[in-house]
Each structure stands twice: as structure tokens, then as C-alpha cells.
Amino acid sequence: MREHHPFEPFAPEGSTKLILGSFPGKESTQNKRVNDWFYCASRNQFWKILEIVFEKDLSNKNDKQELFIDNKLAITDILLSCERRDDKNADENLINKEYNKDVINEILTRNVIRKILFTSKNVHREFVDNFDVTGEIELVVLPSPSPIYRRLSLQEKAKIYKYYLTQV
């Protein structure tokens, strides 16, 4: 079954950093809830990491979007649609991919993006293989916020995210 990305890209005017993930889990694409937004799977650590980094409660979508506006952060995913092999969420099970090229190119054109921050090595690799980036944009691979990635603790992940998200 083909799934389409459930969230609109979010790129506040003047964004200087773009966070790129791969594609939402099936919980988001198949059962969208009102307060859902990027990285809304209950086990994903993305928002827990950002709560530590910015010392803010990010329990609702408005607070998350306000944080992105205040910090000139944009967010979207590299895939617009895909299918899942074996009905599994892992990136290696995403097949028949349609890349989100128009949206990402528009974000890069309308803003002065200085850094693209990838939420995994896989996302970075797919980006490099499928997108053309010109100019002085730093490409940074962040530790995966997936709970499966246990090489680093939540606090260690937050320290790395803080370094890249709070730099000018």
C-alpha cells in the first residue's frame, strides 16, 4: 500500500537550519491524530532530546512550532511517499520511494539554509545520492532519535543536538 507524507513541511521565514528525516512511521501515516506532527511516535526520542536542548516543554504541536520559529529551524522529510516492505517502519523497509525534491528545493531557495541536519546516516546517504545542493551548506549527521539507536544515551544525544542546533 502506497503511503503519503501526512505533514506539511515547516519552514519559518528566515530559517537557517533544515532538519531532514526519512519518512514518518505507519502510526502517523495510517492513523493521523490532531496533535500529530513530525516524530510523533511515542517511543521516538526527538522531542525529548529537544526538550533537554532548549529546556522547554514541547508536549503540543504549537509549542514545537513556536520553538522552530524562534530558532529559525525548518523541518521536513526526504520522502514524499513510499511503500513498506513487511509493514515495518525501519528505513531499510521503505521501498518504491518518491523523493520530496520540490519541497526541499523550495526551502533551500526561499531561505538562507546554512546547515542541513540529518536524523540518521541513512537519510544523509539518500540525500547525497538523490539531491543536488549548491552553495556553502554544511551537512551534519545527528545521532538517530530512534530508541533502537542505543549507542548513545538520551543525554549524550542531546549534547550533540545542542551543539548543532544552538550554533549560529
Side-chain angles (χ1 to χ4, degrees), residues 114-118 124 127-128 133 137-141:
R114 294 187 187 111
K115 283 187 178 101
I116 299 177
L117 304 153
F118 303 95
H124 173 260
F127 182 84
V128 169
V133 176
I137 299 177
E138 182 181 358
L139 305 181
V140 176
V141 178

Side-chain angles (χ1 to χ4, degrees), residues 12 20 39 57 60 68 76 80 88 90 124 126 153:
L20 285 179
Y39 299 97
D57 175 37
N60 70 61
F68 272 62
T76 195
L80 187 58
K88 302 215 186 241
H124 173 260
E126 289 218 39
S153 70

Side-chain angles (χ1 to χ4, degrees), residues 73-87:
L73 300 171
I75 188 169
T76 195
D77 288 318
I78 62 167
L79 297 180
L80 187 58
S81 68
C82 64
E83 295 176 23
R84 292 181 201 277
R85 184 180 31 234
D86 301 326
D87 200 35

Side-chain angles (χ1 to χ4, degrees), residues 3-69:
E3 296 178 34
H4 296 274
H5 204 293
F7 311 121
E8 292 293 319
F10 191 78
E13 189 175 330
S15 293
T16 59
K17 297 175 184 116
L18 171 60
I19 297 174
L20 285 179
S22 57
F23 192 75
K26 60 187 175 184
E27 301 83 4
S28 297
T29 60
Q30 298 172 9
N31 308 307
K32 192 170 178 198
R33 297 171 303 248
V34 174
N35 202 33
D36 278 359
W37 204 45
F38 293 89
Y39 299 97
C40 60
S42 60
R43 293 181 51 225
N44 193 287
Q45 298 175 325
F46 184 80
W47 296 111
K48 292 174 189 154
I49 292 169
L50 267 59
E51 284 182 330
I52 294 167
V53 168
F54 293 101
E55 300 176 1
K56 287 186 149 204
D57 175 37
L58 300 172
S59 54
N60 70 61
K61 183 178 174 181
N62 288 339
D63 292 338
K64 294 168 184 173
Q65 290 181 338
E66 198 173 289
L67 175 85
F68 272 62
I69 292 167

Side-chain angles (χ1 to χ4, degrees), residues 80-148:
L80 187 58
S81 68
C82 64
E83 295 176 23
R84 292 181 201 277
R85 184 180 31 234
D86 301 326
D87 200 35
K88 302 215 186 241
N89 280 342
D91 285 354
E92 60 264 14
N93 291 311
L94 302 178
I95 58 173
N96 300 324
K97 302 169 186 177
E98 177 187 358
Y99 289 94
N100 204 4
K101 288 187 176 189
D102 291 342
V103 164
I104 292 171
N105 287 334
E106 184 175 328
I107 291 171
L108 295 174
T109 301
R110 290 188 175 198
N111 296 280
V112 183
I113 301 295
R114 294 187 187 111
K115 283 187 178 101
I116 299 177
L117 304 153
F118 303 95
T119 59
S120 74
K121 289 178 185 177
N122 180 58
V123 175
H124 173 260
R125 183 176 43 257
E126 289 218 39
F127 182 84
V128 169
D129 290 347
N130 293 285
F131 291 79
D132 294 319
V133 176
T134 57
E136 299 288 320
I137 299 177
E138 182 181 358
L139 305 181
V140 176
V141 178
L142 296 170
S144 172
S146 168
I148 294 169

